Protein backbone atom coordinates (compact mmCIF):
# COMPACT_ATOMS: atom_id res chain seq x y z
CA UNK A 1 0.00 0.00 0.00
CA UNK A 2 1.40 3.40 -0.96
CA UNK A 3 1.35 6.37 1.40
CA UNK A 4 -1.07 9.21 0.80
CA UNK A 5 -0.03 12.74 -0.10
CA UNK A 6 -2.44 13.92 2.64
CA UNK A 7 -0.48 12.05 5.33
CA UNK A 8 2.78 13.48 3.98
CA UNK A 9 1.30 16.99 4.08
CA UNK A 10 0.12 16.41 7.67
CA UNK A 11 3.60 15.31 8.80
CA UNK A 12 5.27 18.22 6.98
CA UNK A 13 2.86 20.62 8.70
CA UNK A 14 3.68 19.07 12.08
CA UNK A 15 7.39 19.64 11.35
CA UNK A 16 6.95 23.15 9.94
CA UNK A 17 8.60 24.79 12.98
CA UNK A 18 11.90 23.26 11.81
CA UNK A 19 13.86 24.74 8.94
CA UNK A 20 15.02 22.70 5.96
CA UNK A 21 12.63 19.74 6.09
CA UNK A 22 12.34 18.12 2.69
CA UNK A 23 11.21 14.88 1.12
CA UNK A 24 11.63 12.73 -1.95
CA UNK A 25 8.97 10.43 -3.35
CA UNK A 26 10.19 6.89 -3.92
CA UNK A 27 8.04 3.98 -5.12
CA UNK A 28 4.83 5.30 -3.55
CA UNK A 29 6.50 6.21 -0.26
CA UNK A 30 8.40 9.29 0.97
CA UNK A 31 11.98 9.63 2.24
CA UNK A 32 12.26 12.50 4.75
CA UNK A 33 15.27 14.79 5.23
CA UNK A 34 16.23 17.24 7.96
CA UNK A 35 18.94 19.70 6.95
CA UNK A 36 19.98 17.39 4.13
CA UNK A 37 20.21 14.23 6.24
CA UNK A 38 17.81 11.33 5.95
CA UNK A 39 16.04 10.80 9.26
CA UNK A 40 13.27 8.44 8.20
CA UNK A 41 10.29 8.20 5.96
CA UNK A 42 6.61 7.67 5.49
CA UNK A 43 5.74 4.08 4.67
CA UNK A 44 2.12 2.87 4.41
CA UNK A 45 1.02 6.10 6.14
CA UNK A 46 3.33 5.48 9.11
CA UNK A 47 6.13 7.79 10.21
CA UNK A 48 9.25 5.66 10.73
CA UNK A 49 12.61 6.98 11.90
CA UNK A 50 16.13 5.57 11.83
CA UNK A 51 16.92 3.69 15.07
CA UNK A 52 19.92 5.76 16.20
CA UNK A 53 20.76 5.70 19.94
CA UNK A 54 19.17 9.07 20.71
CA UNK A 55 15.95 8.10 18.91
CA UNK A 56 15.76 4.84 20.86
CA UNK A 57 16.15 6.81 24.11
CA UNK A 58 13.65 9.51 23.08
CA UNK A 59 11.08 6.96 21.90
CA UNK A 60 11.49 4.73 24.95
CA UNK A 61 8.51 2.48 24.18
CA UNK A 62 8.75 2.63 20.39
CA UNK A 63 7.91 -0.38 18.32
CA UNK A 64 10.29 -1.59 15.61
CA UNK A 65 8.63 -2.03 12.22
CA UNK A 66 9.77 -2.83 8.71
CA UNK A 67 9.25 0.00 6.23
CA UNK A 68 8.80 -2.56 3.44
CA UNK A 69 9.54 -6.22 2.90
CA UNK A 70 13.29 -6.76 2.99
CA UNK A 71 14.00 -3.35 4.56
CA UNK A 72 15.84 -2.61 7.80
CA UNK A 73 13.77 -2.18 10.94
CA UNK A 74 12.93 1.38 11.91
CA UNK A 75 11.19 2.97 14.89
CA UNK A 76 7.49 3.77 14.62
CA UNK A 77 6.66 7.32 15.74
CA UNK A 78 3.09 7.04 16.96
CA UNK A 79 2.66 10.44 18.64
CA UNK A 80 2.50 12.39 15.38
CA UNK A 81 -0.22 14.73 16.70
CA UNK A 82 2.21 16.33 19.18
CA UNK A 83 4.16 18.97 17.24
CA UNK A 84 6.64 19.77 20.07
CA UNK A 85 7.36 16.08 20.53
CA UNK A 86 8.21 15.64 16.84
CA UNK A 87 10.42 18.72 16.61
CA UNK A 88 12.19 17.68 19.82
CA UNK A 89 12.77 14.23 18.37
CA UNK A 90 14.44 15.58 15.23
CA UNK A 91 16.55 18.07 17.15
CA UNK A 92 17.68 15.22 19.42
CA UNK A 93 18.66 12.80 16.66
CA UNK A 94 20.16 15.21 14.12
CA UNK A 95 23.80 14.91 15.26
CA UNK A 96 23.67 11.11 15.00
CA UNK A 97 22.29 11.06 11.47
CA UNK A 98 24.88 10.27 8.83
CA UNK A 99 25.75 13.17 6.52
CA UNK A 100 24.74 12.82 2.88
CA UNK A 101 27.11 10.85 0.69
CA UNK A 102 29.01 12.95 -1.82
CA UNK A 103 27.53 12.75 -5.29
CA UNK A 104 29.64 11.07 -7.93
CA UNK A 105 30.68 13.25 -10.81
CA UNK A 106 29.47 12.13 -14.19
CA UNK A 107 32.14 11.21 -16.67
CA UNK A 108 31.99 12.99 -19.98
Amino acid sequence: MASSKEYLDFILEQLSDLEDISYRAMMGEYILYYRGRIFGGIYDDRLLIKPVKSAIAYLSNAEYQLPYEGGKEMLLVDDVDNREYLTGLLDTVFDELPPPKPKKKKKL
Side-chain angles (χ1 to χ4, degrees):
M1 175 177 112
S3 294
S4 69
K5 180 79 165 90
E6 291 78 20
Y7 190 77
L8 170 67
D9 291 341
F10 170 72
I11 296 298
L12 294 176
E13 177 60 30
Q14 291 297 88
L15 297 172
S16 64
D17 291 342
L18 297 171
E19 291 184 22
D20 202 14
I21 295 288
S22 59
Y23 70 93
R24 186 174 72 204
M26 185 166 294
M27 299 187 308
E29 308 297 355
Y30 300 96
I31 308 299
L32 299 174
Y33 298 82
Y34 179 38
R35 293 193 259 164
R37 297 181 184 188
I38 297 173
F39 69 88
I42 297 175
Y43 304 91
D44 297 329
D45 286 339
R46 300 169 297 157
L47 176 60
L48 300 179
I49 189 166
K50 289 185 170 199
V52 295
K53 287 181 184 179
S54 55
I56 293 167
Y58 196 93
L59 302 167
S60 57
N61 296 324
E63 182 181 324
Y64 284 87
Q65 293 191 0
L66 293 175
Y68 49 87
E69 193 172 323
K72 293 182 181 179
E73 285 189 331
M74 298 175 80
L75 296 170
L76 173 66
V77 181
D78 57 0
D79 194 3
V80 295
D81 293 325
N82 186 335
R83 183 177 273 212
E84 290 86 25
Y85 181 80
L86 289 178
T87 57
L89 171 61
L90 289 190
D91 283 334
T92 300
V93 302
F94 179 76
D95 289 335
E96 276 188 79
L97 298 172
K101 295 178 182 174
K103 296 183 179 185
K104 295 179 183 178
K105 293 184 179 182
K106 294 181 181 179
K107 293 182 183 180
L108 296 175

